Amino acid sequence: MSTNLLASGAVNAGLIDNITGLAGESQTAVNAVVSVALLAFVALVTFKNGFSLARLLMSALVAGFCAWLVLGQGIFTVQNQVGEDVGASGPVVVVVGDRHLV
């Protein structure tokens, strides 16, 4: 009977739904951990440097950039922008002993 269910795709669909649900829940957890870590970073840098306004602003800028990368899907934006440039590689050089073959 389990072979028939597996062949019919009913079990696979349930498994995919479960994985999708877990991925959504884990994304929420990752967002919460990153947010707390960034706030702790700003607080640590601020306290460590004697409440210097310059250090506070710089740490806030770094935290904001990291938040944009992780929470605001900025990584995918950068990947799409840079991906085309990285894909265009130069000639392949093969090193055999002392000789370089292009």
Side-chain angles (χ1 to χ4, degrees):
M1 170 137 177
S2 63
T3 308
N4 292 337
L5 283 174
L6 189 60
S8 69
V11 173
N12 289 339
L15 181 64
I16 291 172
D17 290 340
N18 286 337
I19 290 172
T20 303
L22 287 174
E25 292 173 11
S26 66
Q27 184 65 35
T28 304
V30 168
N31 289 349
V33 169
V34 168
S35 299
V36 169
L38 290 174
L39 287 173
F41 168 73
V42 172
L44 179 69
V45 169
T46 303
F47 294 141
K48 183 179 176 183
N49 294 305
F51 297 97
S52 171
L53 183 60
R55 295 289 182 155
L56 171 66
L57 292 176
M58 287 305 295
S59 64
L61 283 173
V62 169
F65 180 71
C66 291
W68 173 74
L69 281 176
V70 176
L71 304 175
Q73 305 298 321
I75 290 175
F76 298 117
T77 304
V78 172
Q79 176 186 6
N80 292 338
Q81 296 286 331
V82 176
E84 297 170 358
D85 296 335
V86 173
S89 63
V92 176
V93 177
V94 179
V95 178
V96 179
D98 296 353
R99 303 181 315 186
H100 298 281
L101 306 173
V102 178

